[in-house]
Amino acid sequence: MPLKKAIQYGSLSARCHVMRSRLIIPKTLEQLAASRGIGELVNTLSVTPYGAFISEVSAKGVHQGLSEAFVYQRDKIIHTLQKRHQEIFKLFFNTKYTLLDKKIAAAVSTNPEEIIYRVDKIYIGLLKKSMYTISPSERSQLKKIVGSYFDLLNLYNLVKSRLLHRLTIEETLAYMLPFTEKFNLSELAGLCHVPNLQQLSSAIEPTLNEKFDSYETFHKALYRYHKQYLLSVWNGYPFSIAIPFSLLRLIEMEVSDIRAITE
């Protein structure tokens, strides 16, 4: 089996390691964050893999370039995969963006929670089904990555819905995605009773292994929690479909960081 995997994923794994080495280092992100204008930001990005995709020195030009760069990197990886594996990547890195449009449209309906719940349930069902086309060991790695991503989204939604907008527990739980790693739906229901951010920090510190005392540090704690799962698949024997998946997610997060800096 190891030899079969080496033949199947060897070239792709090597390419992924090269692409990972080109991710923007923290020092460059600090330079981007310290930019005094769009021109300076674009100049710093010009020496990164995103530079070739930015054709206009404006916020719009940066956002468009980032989108084009991500699609290029995504398609570069996906087209080398077997069709049964491509479905997983397309569901996670393509379809999830179209779901957002459906959720926005549902917001003006008379029963948005029910519609959003149905959209999410169908999507999660397809995602889980697609994972059964890969080996158990690789499926386990992917489930941890995807589950930690949905943990992140669910906890974001919990804070936004309960602590900021004061929605009811039932309304809050309607927005929870039924695919988790450490925070299952019953635990999330319990966390809905937490009255403030400080007590939420105490409740989930054993899982996150760190505290937070503001919305900014809360976001950073969740970011690091998810990232540890992404990086874990790069250790040990390297031939796994989880490596290109992790890489694309790391690129996706990097693009999100640059978008935030641009704004």
Side-chain angles (χ1 to χ4, degrees):
M1 182 62 71
L3 179 60
K4 182 179 179 180
K5 282 192 174 184
I7 295 172
Q8 182 179 3
Y9 296 136
S11 176
L12 176 58
S13 179
R15 188 181 305 115
C16 286
H17 278 79
V18 171
M19 292 172 70
R20 183 188 172 190
S21 71
R22 293 173 181 165
L23 291 172
I24 294 177
I25 60 175
K27 183 179 179 180
T28 302
L29 279 175
E30 290 174 5
Q31 290 177 336
L32 290 169
S35 299
R36 291 167 292 184
I38 291 295
E40 190 173 328
L41 183 141
V42 170
N43 185 58
T44 303
L45 284 173
S46 66
V47 295
T48 72
Y50 301 102
F53 296 90
I54 301 173
S55 57
E56 180 183 317
V57 183
S58 66
K60 180 181 178 181
V62 173
H63 286 306
Q64 183 175 340
L66 292 173
S67 296
E68 292 176 0
F70 179 73
V71 169
Y72 173 79
Q73 300 279 40
R74 182 191 68 199
D75 293 348
K76 183 178 179 180
I77 288 176
I78 290 179
H79 91 275
T80 64
L81 301 172
Q82 296 179 19
K83 286 188 176 181
R84 62 193 178 94
H85 294 156
Q86 288 183 11
E87 184 63 20
I88 303 170
F89 284 73
K90 289 178 179 178
L91 281 168
F92 189 86
F93 293 104
N94 298 45
T95 305
K96 73 178 180 185
Y97 292 107
T98 63
L99 293 183
L100 183 59
D101 295 332
K102 291 183 179 180
K103 292 181 179 181
I104 292 173
V108 298
S109 66
T110 55
N111 55 342
E113 295 88 0
E114 182 180 335
I115 295 173
I116 290 172
Y117 174 78
R118 187 164 61 248
V119 167
D120 286 337
K121 186 176 181 180
I122 292 172
Y123 172 67
I124 294 300
L126 291 172
L127 192 58
K128 287 182 176 179
K129 183 179 179 180
S130 70
M131 288 186 180
Y132 278 93
T133 64
I134 60 178
S135 69
S137 61
E138 291 176 295
R139 184 163 66 246
S140 176
Q141 289 180 317
L142 276 187
K143 279 187 173 181
K144 289 180 182 298
I145 289 176
V146 177
S148 68
Y149 169 73
F150 289 130
D151 280 347
L152 180 151
L153 292 187
N154 284 340
L155 288 169
Y156 278 167
N157 284 335
L158 188 148
V159 167
K160 180 180 177 182
S161 300
R162 286 291 290 163
L163 301 186
L164 293 179
H165 299 310
R166 300 297 176 181
L167 297 184
T168 66
I169 293 176
E170 292 74 18
E171 289 171 329
T172 300
L173 292 176
Y175 292 97
M176 297 300 173
L177 291 144
F179 191 151
T180 63
E181 173 56 26
K182 294 293 186 180
F183 300 94
N184 60 42
L185 295 182
S186 63
E187 289 171 319
L188 289 168
L191 291 174
C192 283
H193 293 279
V194 174
N196 55 53
L197 202 63
Q198 288 68 35
Q199 290 191 36
L200 178 65
S201 176
S202 298
I204 65 178
E205 181 190 355
T207 302
L208 297 187
N209 294 316
E210 62 177 296
K211 293 183 178 180
F212 49 86
D213 55 11
S214 67
Y215 292 110
E216 181 180 357
T217 54
F218 166 68
H219 288 169
K220 288 180 178 179
L222 288 188
Y223 182 99
R224 285 189 284 267
Y225 160 75
H226 175 48
K227 195 169 184 179
Q228 72 178 343
Y229 284 99
L230 295 174
L231 298 179
S232 68
V233 302
W234 297 80
N235 300 323
Y237 205 73
F239 306 112
S240 169
I241 200 69
I243 286 180
F245 194 96
S246 168
L247 174 65
L248 277 180
R249 178 62 189 138
L250 288 169
I251 294 173
E252 190 175 47
M253 292 168 72
E254 182 174 85
V255 167
S256 180
D257 287 342
I258 300 172
R259 289 190 189 281
I261 291 170
T262 302
E263 290 304 317

